[in-house]
Amino acid sequence: MRNRWQRLDASQLVRELIATIFNLESSLWRTLIGLTLRPGKVAREYVAGRRRSYFNPLKYLLVTAGTMALLNWRLSAPTEEIDAAVLAEVSAAIPNLPEEMLEVVLSLVHVMQRWSKELQLLMVPLYAIAYRLFWRKDNFAETTCFVAYTYSHASMAMVLGLLPLTMRLDQATGVLGSLWSVIVSIAGFGYLIWAARQFFETGWIRATLAVLITSIVVGIVQAVALLGPLAALLILGSSSGLGEG
C-alpha cells in the first residue's frame, strides 16, 4: 500500500512560519531575549557548547540584516532637503562638475545613507580580527560568534530606535532628531562595551578601549570602502570639468 501524503500548500507554510515566530521556546526568541538582557554571556555559552539552546550567530546575523534591509527599503527615503544640501556642497567644492556626475554622486550618497548599517555587518570578520588583538585566548571563530551576535543585535536595536525619525522625515534633520540620534548611538556603543565585558570577562576600561579602538579601525576601513568610489568620481568629474573649461 502506497504512503499517502498531503501536498504542500501556502497555508501550511504560513502556519509553520507563525508557529516559529510566536513560539517563545524557540531558539530564535531565546537568543533575542538573551542578547537583550545578557549579550556577552549568551555568546560565551554558545562558544562553550550550548549550541542547541541558541540561534546560530551567522544565521542571526543574516536574519537581522534582512530585517534591517526590509525596514530601510519600506521606510527610508532620501528627502529633497538632504539632496539639495548634498548637491549644493558638491557644486560649491567642484563648480564645473557635469550634471551626469552629480546624479551619480547623489546615488552613491543614497546608498550610504540607506544601507550603512547593513554594510557595517559585512565588516564582521574585520571586527573579529581587531578584537583578537586585545584577547588572544579566543580563536577567530569564537570571536566571530561574539561579534555576529552583539553587533547585529546592536545594529537592529539602533535601527528600531531611529525608526520614529525615519517615519517622520521632517523631524529627522532637526535639533531633536539629531539629539535623539546621538542618544541612540551612545546607547548602542554602551551595549557593545557591556557585551565585551561579559564575553571576555574583563574590566570596564579595557572593554571600552577595545570597543573604541576596534570601532575606529573598522570605521576607517569602511569609510575608505564607501567613500573611495565617491572620491574617485569627484576627482574624475573635476578633471573632466576643468578639461571642458
Side-chain angles (χ1 to χ4, degrees), residues 87 96-107 233 237 240 244:
L87 292 176
N96 297 322
L97 193 66
E99 183 176 351
E100 296 81 5
M101 197 67 69
L102 282 174
E103 294 297 327
V104 175
V105 170
L106 194 59
S107 298
L233 282 173
S240 62
E244 293 176 2

Side-chain angles (χ1 to χ4, degrees), residues 78-158:
T79 62
E80 295 181 0
E81 293 81 4
I82 295 177
D83 288 354
V86 170
L87 292 176
E89 292 180 5
V90 174
S91 299
I94 308 176
N96 297 322
L97 193 66
E99 183 176 351
E100 296 81 5
M101 197 67 69
L102 282 174
E103 294 297 327
V104 175
V105 170
L106 194 59
S107 298
L108 286 175
V109 171
H110 289 170
V111 170
M112 290 184 288
Q113 178 186 356
R114 239 175 224 193
W115 310 109
S116 59
K117 289 291 187 299
E118 291 82 353
L119 292 173
Q120 185 180 16
L121 294 181
L122 295 178
M123 299 290 178
V124 164
L126 188 57
Y127 276 110
I129 293 173
Y131 273 113
R132 288 211 66 216
L133 298 177
F134 290 89
W135 293 283
R136 296 298 187 107
K137 68 175 184 178
D138 297 295
N139 60 31
F140 177 75
E142 293 167 342
T143 309
T144 300
C145 171
F146 162 75
V147 174
Y149 269 146
T150 57
Y151 276 78
S152 58
H153 195 75
S155 298
M156 185 65 194
M158 291 174 68

